[in-house]
Amino acid sequence: LSPESFREFFHHSFLNPRGFCFERSRLGDPYFDGIFENPRWDSLERLVFQGVGVRAKTARQIAESPHLGNVENLEFYNELISDEGLLSLIESPHLQNVKHLSLHQCNLTENSMLALADSRLGSQLESLSIGRNFHTDETAKRLQALNAEVTI
């Protein structure tokens, strides 16, 4: 399946999902170019990426999409979104309903996690999982001070 065919499928083939999980396919960023621009994502409440090879570029596209404003659960497992990707999510004006954020093994450093602790996104969370990312004891304390259930 080519990136173009994959994107074409998402532009025309599904009806307003409430949750969507991309997993274990190692598609990578080229497959996700532009798919979150489609208004059909407006009803999405849960978006999961698990081992599909997305990086900061896809995280930035998620952050920039006005069609993902209803997402409450945003999950990345074994995705290399890095600090750049997390900072895009933090700065997003559209992700105002995210309550559950999982960032497991996403190549994050304490810089982006401290930014999360000080952000609007961090303050709205009910749960946060940041397993297998680099952090110091100070970073862990700052994140655990959020009004959320934090798993490190």
Side-chain angles (χ1 to χ4, degrees):
L1 185 65
S2 72
E4 294 78 19
S5 298
F6 181 81
R7 289 191 301 271
E8 186 71 17
F9 169 78
F10 279 97
H11 279 289
H12 300 291
S13 300
F14 68 91
L15 300 173
N16 300 331
R18 294 188 73 117
F20 215 90
C21 180
F22 298 98
E23 62 182 12
R24 297 187 182 99
S25 58
R26 285 287 164 210
L27 296 171
D29 282 337
Y31 282 82
F32 296 99
D33 281 345
I35 70 166
F36 301 113
E37 296 170 6
N38 192 317
R40 292 183 183 188
W41 292 102
D42 284 340
S43 62
L44 193 72
E45 295 174 2
R46 183 173 187 230
L47 183 58
V48 180
F49 296 89
Q50 185 172 0
V52 294
V54 299
R55 296 180 183 267
K57 181 179 180 182
T58 297
R60 186 173 51 255
Q61 289 182 24
I62 291 167
E64 293 172 352
S65 175
H67 303 295
L68 297 176
N70 288 318
V71 171
E72 294 181 3
N73 297 297
L74 184 57
E75 306 170 38
F76 296 90
Y77 300 96
N78 197 25
E79 303 296 347
L80 301 177
I81 66 167
S82 71
D83 289 347
E84 179 186 349
L86 179 53
L87 292 173
S88 294
L89 298 174
I90 289 169
E91 296 167 359
S92 173
H94 307 294
L95 298 176
Q96 297 179 6
N97 288 313
V98 174
K99 293 177 180 30
H100 309 282
L101 181 62
S102 294
L103 301 163
H104 185 81
Q105 196 170 347
C106 289
N107 200 33
L108 304 174
T109 69
E110 73 176 324
N111 293 334
S112 63
M113 287 190 273
L114 288 172
L116 177 61
D118 295 333
S119 71
R120 176 193 47 79
L121 178 59
S123 68
Q124 72 192 34
L125 294 176
E126 294 175 7
S127 69
L128 171 65
S129 174
I130 58 160
R132 301 194 71 186
N133 289 290
F134 175 79
H135 64 276
T136 63
D137 289 342
E138 177 62 28
T139 307
K141 286 178 190 173
R142 294 267 303 278
L143 290 168
Q144 289 172 332
L146 292 171
N147 192 23
E149 180 181 329
V150 178
T151 305
I152 297 178

